[in-house]
Amino acid sequence: MEPRHDTPADAIRRLEALPRIALTPLPTPLHRLPRFSEALGADVWIKRDDMGSVALAGNKVRKYELLLGQALAEGADTLITTGALQSNSARAGAAAAAQLGLRCVLVLTGEPPAERRANLLLDDLFGADVRFVGRLAWSELAPVLDATAAEVTRAGGQPYVAPVGASSPLGSLGFALAYRELLDQLRQAGLGGGEHGDATEPLLVHTSTSGGTHAGLVVGRELSGRGPRPIGVDAGRVLPDPARDLARMATEAAAMIGLDRHFAEEEIAVELGYAGPAYGSITEEGVAAIRLLAATEGIVADPVYSAKGLAAVVELARSSRHGGRPIVFWHTGGWHANFDPHYGDALR
Ligand SMILES: Cc1ncc(COP(=O)(O)O)c(C=O)c1O
């Protein structure tokens, strides 16, 4: 495809004109965390993507608004998606499919568990056809998804395949929209809103794995020409080379809306120090951060994902690295997994 040389304003118009299905009331709240801030000695705010949407779908719902917008525009009747056994993305897809009257097939990595708990229980309640495919690496899933799509087609259905974490360039654009939503809220709250480097501009921290959230925020910042640079806290090396892969996803997402911008990996702020030894690890600092947020504010996070970003916020707040700036934690949801004893027990 020929690169287009549209202005950011053209790209914003294209972004806003993408087919989109409303799955969540927006904007999600942005508010200060007074008691958490006091405990940490810093000014900490939270963006509540853990609230509101269908089955409290978290960050994934913003991606599904665009993916399912495209799916319906193409006449799809079956959503196929994939992830780990306790995948939040798969559960969010199943809930959205139920809401829209689509069939849903979930291809989950891992062996069938003895009992369906937490996200797996919800997948079942939402009527998803759950397939357990054993211990495949996420990179090995493509042929399985292709075969599942072929099976749906043979049965007379029309499949739409959403990737791991719903993190395609199109899905990530949900977070380009979200970034613009945040900027409006920051302005209203008197946080930043000026040029880059404004002393009130907050630090923006979120958890990142398959990358759509981070890549979309990067594109949203580019479109807006200002605002805090998102800091993605890696929760487990799902991407082989996070900064490079995120830069590529952001570049592809920008191109989809006519923005000819090549992001370099040096422009992407990734924190790799909070994931623990592997994807799914439960870390001591993550559990401490969950307990502090819950005890001071009545807000719940999960150990696999949001705890990683939250632990980075706690460390940043306690250090002098924030330089007196406010910190905004983007809560990406996902605490349903706490109701699986594997995760819940770790919180005791
Ligand atoms: C609760 C939660 N937070 C953050 C993420 C990471 O988002 P992304 O996959 O867009 O990097 C996920 C991904 O599954 C998640 O479930």
Side-chain angles (χ1 to χ4, degrees):
M1 196 171 55
E2 281 292 298
R4 290 185 296 245
H5 297 283
D6 296 356
T7 64
D10 294 328
I12 291 168
R13 272 193 293 278
R14 284 180 202 280
L15 174 65
E16 289 176 345
L18 289 170
R20 184 167 159 209
I21 302 289
L23 293 171
T24 184
L26 295 173
T28 57
L30 170 79
H31 63 84
R32 192 167 181 273
L33 294 171
R35 285 169 32 78
F36 189 71
S37 294
E38 197 185 333
L40 294 170
D43 188 19
V44 188
W45 294 64
I46 190 165
K47 175 75 171 147
R48 302 293 304 272
D49 275 17
D50 58 316
M51 288 175 66
S53 59
V54 57
L56 305 179
N59 62 335
K60 303 301 175 188
V61 79
R62 294 183 185 268
K63 305 177 188 180
Y64 276 116
E65 286 200 339
L66 291 173
L67 295 180
L68 292 174
Q70 183 187 48
L72 293 191
E74 291 173 358
D77 59 15
T78 306
L79 170 68
I80 300 174
T81 192
T82 185
L85 285 189
Q86 281 296 332
S87 168
N88 292 318
S89 181
R91 179 255 305 145
Q99 184 179 343
L100 298 175
L102 300 173
R103 283 192 293 277
C104 179
V105 183
L106 299 181
V107 175
L108 302 184
T109 56
E111 304 302 333
E115 289 181 60
R116 296 198 180 192
R117 304 265 180 113
N119 280 315
L120 279 174
L121 171 63
L122 294 172
D123 297 340
D124 196 40
L125 290 180
F126 298 138
D129 171 358
V130 180
R131 318 265 178 97
F132 300 99
V133 293
R135 294 189 190 283
L136 292 187
W138 289 10
S139 55
E140 295 169 321
L141 282 166
V144 185
L145 295 174
D146 288 347
T148 310
E151 178 196 321
V152 169
T153 307
R154 274 197 306 280
Q158 185 158 336
Y160 181 89
V161 180
V164 169
S167 281
S168 62
L170 176 63
S172 80
L173 287 173
F175 270 89
L177 290 161
Y179 189 87
R180 296 177 56 71
E181 173 185 310
L182 175 75
L183 278 192
D184 283 344
Q185 292 176 309
L186 292 178
R187 197 180 308 116
Q188 282 163 23
L191 300 177
E195 297 304 308
H196 290 311
D198 174 338
T200 64
E201 184 167 275
L203 298 162
L204 176 60
V205 179
H206 67 93
T207 299
S208 184
T209 40
S210 63
T213 303
H214 196 163
L217 293 174
V218 166
V219 174
R221 180 172 185 257
E222 180 69 20
L223 291 174
S224 307
R226 63 191 175 78
R229 174 191 291 209
I231 303 168
V233 182
D234 186 70
R237 285 306 183 108
V238 168
L239 298 176
D241 184 343
R244 185 203 62 194
D245 298 340
L246 283 160
R248 186 186 305 135
M249 197 185 301
T251 301
E252 288 174 15
M256 287 191 86
I257 50 170
L259 195 66
D260 184 18
R261 168 73 158 85
H262 181 88
F263 294 96
E265 61 184 279
E266 298 72 34
E267 295 178 86
I268 311 289
V270 184
E271 286 281 351
L272 295 173
Y274 295 90
Y279 168 78
S281 298
I282 298 169
T283 63
E284 212 174 291
E285 66 272 20
V287 172
I290 292 173
R291 295 192 69 88
L292 182 65
L293 182 66
T296 54
E297 303 283 352
I299 297 174
V300 187
D302 79 288
V304 175
Y305 294 102
S306 44
K308 307 290 166 51
L310 197 58
V313 167
V314 168
E315 200 174 295
L316 196 56
R318 286 194 171 131
S319 75
S320 56
R321 277 167 55 217
H322 59 79
R325 288 167 188 266
I327 303 170
V328 175
F329 171 61
W330 201 308
H331 193 328
T332 44
W335 54 277
H336 315 53
N338 294 354
F339 298 101
D340 179 322
H342 174 69
Y343 302 107
D345 288 355
L347 299 179
R348 286 178 215 280

